[in-house]
């Protein structure tokens, strides 16, 4: 069940999220370990996943208890950067850990955008199972977001712009863990000339 676009995560939903998240994580790790049989490279990439961010419950909003639905509390930027500096591939799940050890079902898009913002990524690419970026004012699908519009959005939401003088070249991706089906790519990119 969804309320205002946010899933209410009951214990049953949370169990399904954990199972799906684990399945998707291992599928991604397996795919990244495969090499063509004629590959001359003996090195396979080191893939890591874990508690790279902490979460907190959404809680009760306007009388609606969101159960195990969570939101990002903090991204452990140093831990992620250490792994990336060692040429490792970091996989982030939508399942967040609270400092108490409780698990929360966070929105993949929020995890990815928070991570990309705090890592000062140059680009954020979403690959999901059909969810799309929509302008809620006009109810239209947005396939590309001009850099200027993305920066204005971050500033309006009180977040530092990831495009300051010290921006890095890190790219962040998010894979939805609910139902791996069709893919759609959306990105924040420079505006294109018409």
């Amino acid at each position: 069940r969804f309320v205002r676009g946010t899933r209410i995560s009951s214990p049953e939903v949370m169990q399904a999220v954990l199972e799906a998240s684990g399945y998707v994580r291992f599928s991604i790790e397996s795919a990244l370990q495969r090499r063509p049989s004629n590959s001359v490279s003996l090195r396979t990439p080191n893939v890591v996943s874990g508690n790279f961010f902490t979460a907190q419950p959404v809680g009760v909003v306007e009388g609606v208890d969101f159960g195990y639905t969570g939101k990002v509390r903090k991204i452990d930027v140093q831990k992620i950067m250490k792994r990336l500096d060692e040429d490792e591939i970091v996989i982030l799940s939508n399942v967040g850990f609270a400092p108490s050890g409780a698990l929360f079902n966070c929105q993949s898009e929020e995890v990815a955008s928070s991570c990309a913002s705090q890592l000062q990524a140059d680009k954020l690419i979403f690959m999901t199972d059909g969810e799309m970026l929509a302008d809620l004012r006009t109810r239209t699908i947005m396939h590309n977001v001009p850099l200027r519009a993305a920066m204005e959005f971050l500033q309006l939401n009180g977040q530092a712009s990831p495009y300051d003088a010290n921006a890095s070249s890190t790219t962040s991706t998010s894979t939805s863990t609910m139902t791996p089906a069709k893919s759609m790519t959306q990105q924040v990119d420079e505006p294109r000339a018409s």
Side-chain angles (χ1 to χ4, degrees):
R1 180 173 149 216
F2 288 84
V3 174
R4 291 180 292 286
T6 301
R7 179 185 297 276
I8 295 176
S9 299
S10 66
E12 298 79 20
V13 166
M14 193 63 195
Q15 183 62 38
V17 166
L18 292 172
E19 290 173 12
S21 178
Y23 174 80
V24 169
R25 186 186 112 212
F26 287 121
S27 296
I28 292 170
E29 289 180 15
S30 173
L32 290 170
Q33 295 301 313
R34 280 186 241 140
R35 293 189 312 253
S37 58
N38 61 353
S39 174
V40 293
S41 172
L42 298 176
R43 184 179 181 275
T44 57
N46 192 18
V47 181
V48 294
S49 59
N51 58 343
F52 291 105
F53 76 97
T54 55
Q56 63 190 36
V58 169
V60 177
V61 179
E62 296 178 13
V64 178
D65 185 355
F66 283 87
Y68 291 97
T69 300
K71 56 186 177 181
V72 174
R73 177 182 297 215
K74 182 180 181 215
I75 303 288
D76 193 337
V77 174
Q78 288 182 321
K79 192 187 291 187
I80 293 172
M81 290 304 297
K82 181 177 187 284
R83 298 300 192 148
L84 294 175
D85 288 343
E86 294 172 0
D87 292 327
E88 295 178 330
I89 298 171
V90 175
I91 297 177
L92 294 174
S93 167
N94 65 306
V95 177
F97 300 84
S100 67
L103 300 173
F104 293 100
N105 178 19
C106 300
Q107 291 183 338
S108 298
E109 297 81 3
E110 180 195 8
V111 174
S113 59
S114 295
C115 185
S117 174
Q118 292 184 39
L119 288 173
Q120 299 181 342
D122 291 328
K123 190 176 287 188
L124 173 61
I125 301 171
F126 288 108
M127 292 183 288
T128 70
D129 64 348
E131 297 174 22
M132 297 177 217
L133 182 61
D135 183 332
L136 296 178
R137 295 168 297 168
T138 61
R139 301 250 184 235
T140 58
I141 303 302
M142 300 173 67
H143 298 285
N144 292 293
V145 178
L147 176 60
R148 185 171 293 123
M151 289 174 58
E152 288 172 6
F153 175 80
L154 289 172
Q155 290 170 351
L156 286 173
N157 286 290
Q159 298 180 24
S161 171
Y163 294 95
D164 63 12
N166 300 319
S168 70
S169 61
T170 306
T171 299
S172 174
T173 61
S174 169
T175 302
S176 176
T177 60
M178 294 310 291
T179 314
K182 59 186 176 180
S183 294
M184 177 175 188
T185 303
Q186 300 157 332
Q187 63 186 31
V188 175
D189 206 353
E190 294 288 343
R192 295 185 194 155
S194 303

